[in-house]
Amino acid sequence: MVLESIQVGHLRTAGTPDAADPFDRPWTSGIWKEPVVGPVPLGVDGLAGDQIADRRHHGGPHRAVLMYSADHYPAWRAEWGRKDVGPGAFGENLTVSGMTERTVCVGDQFAIGDTVLEVASPRGPCDKLSRKHAVRDLVQVVRATHRHGWYLRVIREGSLEAGAQVRLLDRPYPQWSVARVAAVYWDRGNRPEESRLLAACPALDPEWREKLRAVSGSVASATR
């Protein structure tokens, strides 16, 4: 497993003023990520120089950095018929090879250089990803294929550099792959028992746990 590329983003505004379709109206985001060469400082709030527009849904200690599998990019290039889709295209900070949502689990701790990171949740793709690529159903496709990536919290600060090995230090919850967590969460209304079990996973982002508890609790009340 290798850290293939590191990206940071600066705020940018796209869209057309007064466009009739809300999809085309102006929006601001840091989703456009550019590669960084050399060591990059990593703190509990993320990579140095990485800007975030919407801190309600991005950033913070449980979403310090977004990791995405380089193994997905050949499929995107083939499906879209494009050669320019690669590291950073999905708004990720860290592009890694040898890892996917089906092989990484919530709670996994990885050492990269002198840093230690822990998987906190799947990435919940939003419409900004669709608007960036001008693909209206991209969120649905990403969810269906489980090519969404995952967020990590920083356990030990340090610096990262492309080309570093990614070493698995601990896997306390092997039953909760990122793909399975995403599947349960997005279908939580129909999977109350799995939702209850997932809500008890202490490594999961607290916001996700709270929403899962609300669903499993309401189902339990309705069946009394």
Side-chain angles (χ1 to χ4, degrees):
M1 300 182 294
V2 177
L3 176 59
E4 300 288 350
S5 182
I6 302 172
Q7 291 82 221
V8 301
H10 299 287
L11 299 187
R12 187 188 304 182
T13 299
T16 303
D18 302 320
D21 189 335
F23 187 84
D24 300 319
R25 291 174 188 166
W27 55 288
T28 301
S29 176
I31 196 171
W32 290 274
K33 305 295 186 186
E34 299 295 334
V36 180
V37 177
V40 184
L42 174 68
V44 294
D45 291 324
L47 291 170
D50 192 43
Q51 296 183 338
I52 298 171
D54 178 9
R55 291 194 172 274
R56 168 69 180 84
H57 299 101
H58 304 279
H62 302 289
R63 296 185 289 262
V65 288
L66 175 62
M67 184 174 278
Y68 196 76
S69 177
D71 301 352
H72 294 328
Y73 281 120
W76 289 120
R77 288 193 288 268
E79 291 168 14
W80 290 351
R82 292 170 52 185
K83 297 181 179 180
D84 62 338
V85 183
F90 275 69
E92 78 271 17
N93 302 111
L94 310 178
T95 311
V96 292
S97 59
M99 308 163 66
T100 73
E101 292 79 357
R102 301 182 191 281
T103 63
V104 172
C105 301
V106 165
D108 281 2
Q109 288 195 359
F110 295 101
I112 311 177
D114 58 355
T115 72
V116 175
L117 301 98
E118 182 179 85
V119 179
S121 74
R123 180 255 200 99
C126 65
D127 67 337
K128 290 180 180 177
L129 188 61
S130 296
R131 297 170 86 179
K132 177 181 187 289
H133 290 287
V135 178
R136 290 179 182 268
D137 66 343
L138 184 54
V139 169
Q140 290 75 20
V141 174
V142 166
R143 286 187 175 189
T145 59
H146 287 295
R147 298 183 218 154
H148 36 72
W150 52 93
Y151 280 116
L152 303 104
R153 56 178 68 93
V154 178
I155 303 300
R156 186 170 71 208
E157 299 179 324
S159 64
L160 298 174
E161 189 166 5
Q165 295 294 311
V166 180
R167 296 184 295 111
L168 177 64
L169 300 178
D170 193 21
R171 173 162 289 167
Y173 308 105
Q175 71 274 33
W176 291 120
S177 71
V178 170
R180 184 189 177 199
V181 169
V184 171
Y185 182 81
W186 290 326
D187 193 32
R188 56 191 181 275
N190 296 315
R191 301 167 78 160
E193 180 57 20
E194 284 181 286
S195 295
R196 182 186 66 80
L197 294 172
L198 180 55
C201 178
L204 185 63
D205 183 324
E207 185 175 320
W208 284 54
R209 294 180 68 194
E210 184 61 32
K211 290 182 179 179
L212 288 161
R213 279 195 291 264
V215 169
S216 56
S218 63
V219 170
S221 298
T223 57
R224 287 174 187 159

